Amino acid sequence: MRAIRAALRRMNSYLSRRHEVSVARGNPMPEQESSADMHVAAELLRGLDIPAGADREYFDKHMPRLARTLTLVPRPRSSGRILELGCYMQITPFLSRWRGYSDIRGAYYGPSGHTARRIAKVRGEEFELAVDLFDAERDRFPYDDGSFETVLVCELIEHLIRDPMHLLLECRRVLEEGGRLLVTTPNVASLTSVARALHGYDNPQISSAYPRPRPDSADEVPHVREYTAFELRTAVEAAGFEIENLFTEPIAELEMNRPMWNFLEENGYNTSMRGEQTYCVAVKRGDWPVIRYPRFLYSE
């Protein structure tokens, strides 16, 4: 009997959302405008040579996010040096080809002091990069103070298990004064997260599944802690950065949760920053105070 009731509740939930979607079309959630740069970035990314399989599926699924991220990478203004933490070699070739950086460095988790060589192909042409290995939560980054004018932290901060502020403060150290930090991460206060919490069946995090253990592959850390856009702003500001741009965008495959925006609006809840994906661009301010352990992020 309990199984039948659960099935009926799920069916009711599904039908209710179908109805809500049709009603919400007349009062849609505001969207980030698509720019000419966004179309250029997407076309460039399609030139990546990625064979069929899991990597290709991931790339195709996340193409809109990768394109948006590329458009937010500022053009070089001084040294032309950029660091990409968590380097997957997807947007990496276009940091020089399109954004104009002359010196690109990648970083990834691994034994400190080692460097790997990674290769990506764009329409058959090879792009090779030195990728430094270290623990971004524990190690001092292997770069001098002020080495870069831009640092990218894309889809990384939600995987950290120990000390996210260490990463942000090291990014601040290796950035030149006025340099830019770009952080992208899922938004745990999104419409999807609200819908999941209210329906009560699924985890509110955008991604909560563990990677399937495989004997021939290294362990992967899942999403440990997803942030609201406001929490991300607080953490980045605590590390001595001034927020230049902070916004969220919806993810197309989660379109069925858009009606939650109307629910929030009608009941007096905050409706801003409710997309599933958060983007933050911040500027290093050397004379700003630093809060090493923000209260919202660390326990005593």
Side-chain angles (χ1 to χ4, degrees):
M1 182 62 70
R2 288 182 178 177
I4 294 174
R5 287 174 181 162
L8 289 173
R9 282 197 299 269
R10 284 181 178 273
M11 178 61 71
N12 180 62
S13 172
Y14 171 75
L15 293 174
S16 296
R17 281 190 284 177
R18 285 286 299 273
H19 172 70
E20 290 167 352
V21 168
S22 64
V23 171
R25 284 173 184 153
N27 187 24
M29 182 181 76
E31 292 188 46
Q32 186 78 11
E33 292 184 7
S34 182
S35 65
D37 269 3
M38 184 76 171
H39 295 296
V40 172
E43 187 58 33
L44 289 169
L45 286 163
R46 291 188 187 99
L48 271 175
D49 299 330
I50 303 176
D55 289 345
R56 184 76 218 184
E57 290 174 7
Y58 177 93
F59 175 78
D60 290 340
K61 177 179 179 179
H62 293 275
M63 166 74 84
R65 172 180 59 77
L66 294 169
R68 177 64 72 196
T69 301
L70 261 181
T71 68
L72 293 171
V73 176
R75 299 280 185 182
R77 306 177 186 186
S78 55
S79 69
R81 301 196 71 214
I82 186 170
L83 171 65
E84 182 184 357
L85 297 177
C87 179
Y88 276 96
M89 299 295 287
Q90 292 173 332
I91 68 171
T92 320
F94 308 106
L95 299 177
S96 60
R97 287 169 173 258
W98 188 46
R99 302 317 279 174
Y101 285 86
S102 56
D103 190 349
I104 303 169
R105 199 77 186 186
Y108 204 80
Y109 178 79
S112 183
H114 291 72
T115 299
R117 306 298 297 185
R118 301 276 175 83
I119 295 175
K121 290 185 178 180
V122 181
R123 303 193 187 280
E125 182 181 346
E126 286 191 351
F127 173 85
E128 187 174 359
L129 184 71
V131 177
D132 301 308
L133 306 180
F134 55 90
D135 185 340
E137 292 189 84
R138 295 175 182 266
D139 296 334
R140 178 182 172 89
F141 292 5
Y143 314 110
D144 293 335
D145 295 1
S147 293
F148 302 95
E149 63 170 296
T150 304
V151 174
L152 309 182
V153 184
C154 301
E155 307 309 295
L156 175 59
I157 196 169
E158 68 274 11
H159 293 276
L160 302 184
I161 63 175
R162 182 177 183 270
D163 193 358
M165 285 300 294
H166 175 86
L167 177 145
L168 292 175
L169 290 170
E170 277 295 285
C171 289
R172 182 176 188 264
R173 181 183 66 79
V174 302
L175 274 168
E176 63 186 42
E177 180 63 20
R180 261 68 177 177
L181 174 72
L182 170 57
V183 183
T184 75
T185 189
N187 176 20
V188 77
S190 68
L191 297 180
T192 291
S193 296
V194 172
R196 288 175 178 175
L198 291 179
H199 287 299
Y201 294 109
D202 301 317
N203 192 293
Q205 287 200 167
I206 298 302
S207 177
S208 58
Y210 290 90
R212 183 178 298 182
R214 302 185 187 279
D216 58 344
S217 62
D219 291 338
E220 294 183 36
V221 179
H223 287 202
V224 174
R225 188 196 195 283
E226 292 181 355
Y227 295 73
T228 72
F230 299 101
E231 286 182 322
L232 183 64
R233 177 177 66 188
T234 300
V236 170
E237 287 180 337
F241 289 91
E242 179 182 5
I243 302 299
E244 186 173 72
N245 194 5
L246 177 70
F247 65 95
T248 68
E249 283 189 330
I251 295 176
E253 67 177 282
L254 301 172
E255 178 79 15
M256 78 289 290
N257 296 307
R258 291 278 189 105
M260 281 294 120
W261 189 84
N262 295 271
F263 171 83
L264 295 174
E265 185 180 57
E266 290 167 5
N267 289 278
Y269 291 99
N270 167 48
T271 58
S272 65
M273 302 292 186
R274 292 295 187 173
E276 286 78 26
Q277 185 67 39
T278 303
Y279 302 89
C280 177
V281 180
V283 183
K284 174 182 173 178
R285 299 300 185 201
D287 57 348
W288 279 31
V290 167
I291 302 173
R292 179 60 180 87
Y293 297 108
R295 287 189 176 183
F296 85 93
L297 196 53
Y298 295 87
S299 60
E300 293 297 331

